[in-house]
Amino acid sequence: MLYHLHELGRAWMQPWNYWAEANARMFGAQGSWLSSLPGASRVSAGYELMYRIGKDYEKPEFGIHAIEKDGKSYPVVEREVLKKPFCRLLRFKRFADDAEAITEFKDDPSVLVVAPLSGHHATLLRDTVKTLLQDHKVYVTDWVDARMVPLADGAFHLDDYVAYIEEFIRTIGADNLHVISVCQPTVPTLAAVSLMAARGEKTPRSLVMFGGPIDTRQNPTKVNDLATEKPLWWFEANLVHAVPPNYPGHDRRVYPGFLQHGGFVAMNPERHFQSHWDFYQDLVKGDLEDADAHRRFYDEYNAVLDMPAEYYLETVDVVFQRHLLPKGEWVVRGEAVNPGAITDTAVLTIEGELDDISGQGQTRAAHALCTGIPQDDHRHLTIEGAGHYGIFSGRRWRTQVYPQVRDFIARYSGQ
């Protein structure tokens, strides 16, 4: 009943949220006589803080409509390439009106960005995608909120995740494709490429893995400890709930996004409290730029999705508790996952020095598994001073990480 109680509380809070938003505007809007009253800025700031703490956060848009390159602006159009019940394969297509740019765009390598299905929407990788668009044709896995998927569409297992990635690679074509996986999907992505290689299928030219749990026995973090200190039945009994009847996926068993979000916040509660206090102070001082940056961050951070229960539980079991991939014991739909079967795909792993989600060494472990790849086609980067999100988003990503990723992809393109 927890999910149902959450929905009841959310519905009960809606009038208060509308009231808080209206008061924030009345006491803060220019031209409103209430904004000229003594202390109006503090009243407005308090109401907006109340509104943002209690409001619903819907899935944000990618909002990538143009890119800047060599001092010129080029429009970008988001297109749906393939639609599956639990995921959409999107392409961000660049357009130009001069022959030189058109030829350059046409010759750029293709990149499939496999976004994590671990609580947040794929839009969390907006900065990653926008930066990659400067030099690549970019495709992204846009995972669907499980509460929006009707029961008639069936279950979604970890094996299905692997199969989805295989299908996406075939749809795009592996000839000049490079696959980037961020965090959680490093495991199913490596499995997908391994299975394709073992069957003799064409594999992507390179595989770039960011901060993922390839082998969580290496430098375990608090996230890893939580997954191992409780038995699997505990996760099913305490974290899996049925979707309420007001959603298309009603009665589907899921790991609700609001529980995952609570876990995110609980990892650094002081940081989030301070961030909200700073937001209040910025509003009072009239520092609209910093206040708007806070809004943008939490509009993304607070927007979460539900995960199918079977997929979530199998991930905890296979990846975090039994470590089947690094042990060489993982079997997907009757086929053994053997990364050693990969021979024609270069591998780059990237870790953050201060990553508190995937500890150092967990992603790098992929190199020891990919024994069939020539040593010259292995590369690893550790980004000093970077946390988990800093390796694929923000200033460090754009200035330190991306140039090396771009050059690595270029090295294995067009051969």
Side-chain angles (χ1 to χ4, degrees):
M1 294 297 294
L2 180 62
Y3 205 149
H4 293 70
L5 290 173
H6 175 267
E7 285 298 300
L8 181 63
R10 187 179 66 85
W12 183 82
M13 282 294 295
Q14 286 290 16
W16 296 97
N17 291 336
Y18 294 140
W19 174 75
E21 181 184 24
N23 278 296
R25 292 179 180 274
M26 287 191 297
F27 282 93
Q30 290 185 354
S32 169
W33 66 272
L34 290 172
S35 66
S36 62
L37 294 176
S41 61
R42 294 188 177 276
V43 174
S44 175
Y47 277 124
E48 180 164 356
L49 183 59
M50 183 189 305
Y51 162 67
R52 293 195 61 82
I53 289 174
K55 75 184 288 287
D56 288 333
Y57 289 85
E58 300 296 332
K59 177 187 175 182
E61 298 292 331
F62 273 99
I64 302 174
H65 304 299
I67 60 166
E68 297 287 335
K69 184 175 182 180
D70 299 327
K72 296 181 180 179
S73 179
Y74 299 97
V76 175
V77 175
E78 178 183 322
R79 291 181 172 177
E80 184 178 273
V81 176
L82 184 64
K83 185 175 183 179
K84 306 284 288 182
F86 291 89
C87 189
R88 300 187 307 148
L89 177 62
L90 303 180
R91 180 182 177 183
F92 291 86
K93 186 172 177 61
R94 303 161 300 172
F95 289 87
D97 57 4
D98 62 275
E100 184 179 350
I102 292 173
T103 301
E104 183 179 344
F105 287 169
K106 184 178 179 181
D107 293 339
D108 281 343
S110 297
V111 171
L112 169 61
V113 179
V114 185
L117 177 55
S118 55
H120 284 112
H121 294 278
T123 51
L124 190 69
L125 304 184
R126 182 184 296 103
D127 193 18
T128 315
V129 172
K130 191 169 185 178
T131 306
L132 285 165
L133 277 168
Q134 296 176 39
D135 305 287
H136 310 89
K137 305 170 187 174
V138 180
Y139 298 79
V140 182
T141 59
D142 185 28
W143 300 102
V144 177
D145 192 333
R147 69 182 180 181
M148 305 304 292
V149 183
L151 272 176
D153 286 329
F156 184 76
H157 296 270
L158 181 57
D159 288 5
D160 295 314
Y161 194 125
V162 175
Y164 271 32
I165 297 172
E166 291 182 42
E167 184 174 357
F168 293 156
I169 291 174
R170 296 189 194 104
T171 298
I172 301 168
D175 289 338
N176 195 20
L177 177 65
H178 305 261
V179 178
I180 293 177
S181 55
V182 181
C183 190
Q184 166 270 321
T186 55
V187 173
T189 299
L190 182 57
V193 176
S194 300
L195 292 171
M196 295 178 74
R199 299 189 203 108
E201 294 186 59
K202 185 83 173 176
T203 58
R205 290 184 177 272
S206 74
L207 183 56
V208 182
M209 293 178 276
F210 287 79
I214 298 296
D215 188 351
T216 58
R217 296 172 298 179
Q218 309 293 325
N219 290 319
T221 64
K222 290 182 180 179
V223 174
N224 307 144
D225 292 340
L226 174 64
T228 55
E229 67 186 13
K230 304 286 186 182
L232 193 62
W233 66 260
W234 182 91
F235 289 91
E236 185 169 11
N238 293 278
L239 300 181
V240 171
H241 300 275
V243 175
N246 55 317
Y247 294 104
H250 62 87
D251 293 332
R252 178 180 293 282
R253 295 172 71 245
V254 299
Y255 175 31
F258 68 85
L259 287 180
Q260 178 77 322
H261 179 262
F264 292 149
V265 174
M267 289 180 64
N268 293 288
E270 299 86 359
R271 182 189 303 172
H272 292 288
F273 177 85
Q274 187 63 48
S275 179
H276 284 78
W277 174 248
D278 291 342
F279 173 64
Y280 170 81
Q281 297 282 38
D282 289 337
L283 290 173
V284 172
K285 293 183 296 185
D287 188 344
L288 301 184
E289 184 175 347
D290 283 352
D292 196 47
H294 174 97
R295 293 188 189 99
R296 289 195 303 270
F297 174 81
Y298 279 98
D299 282 348
E300 194 75 58
Y301 189 83
N302 292 340
V304 291
L305 51 71
D306 296 349
M307 288 180 274
E310 56 277 359
Y311 154 77
Y312 169 69
L313 293 172
E314 288 164 5
T315 299
V316 172
D317 177 43
V318 170
V319 178
F320 294 97
Q321 294 193 347
R322 291 196 289 160
H323 316 287
L324 296 188
L325 176 61
K327 287 181 177 180
E329 300 174 359
W330 191 13
V331 177
V332 174
R333 296 185 175 183
E335 297 179 276
V337 176
N338 175 24
I342 304 172
T343 58
D344 299 325
T345 300
V347 172
L348 168 63
T349 55
I350 302 172
E351 297 177 340
E353 178 191 16
L354 306 179
D355 194 333
D356 58 356
I357 294 179
S358 293
Q360 284 195 54
Q362 293 187 11
T363 315
R364 191 170 190 165
H367 294 286
L369 302 178
C370 298
T371 55
I373 300 173
Q375 195 58 43
D376 288 345
D377 295 334
H378 288 263
R379 190 179 176 198
H380 174 77
L381 297 174
T382 298
I383 310 304
E384 295 184 5
H388 186 69
Y389 297 101
I391 58 178
F392 60 84
S393 181
R395 178 182 53 81
R396 277 195 179 89
W397 151 248
R398 292 189 295 270
T399 61
Q400 297 182 34
V401 184
Y402 174 68
Q404 299 187 70
V405 172
R406 178 197 60 211
D407 293 345
F408 181 82
I409 290 175
R411 177 183 174 187
Y412 295 96
S413 297
Q415 298 177 356

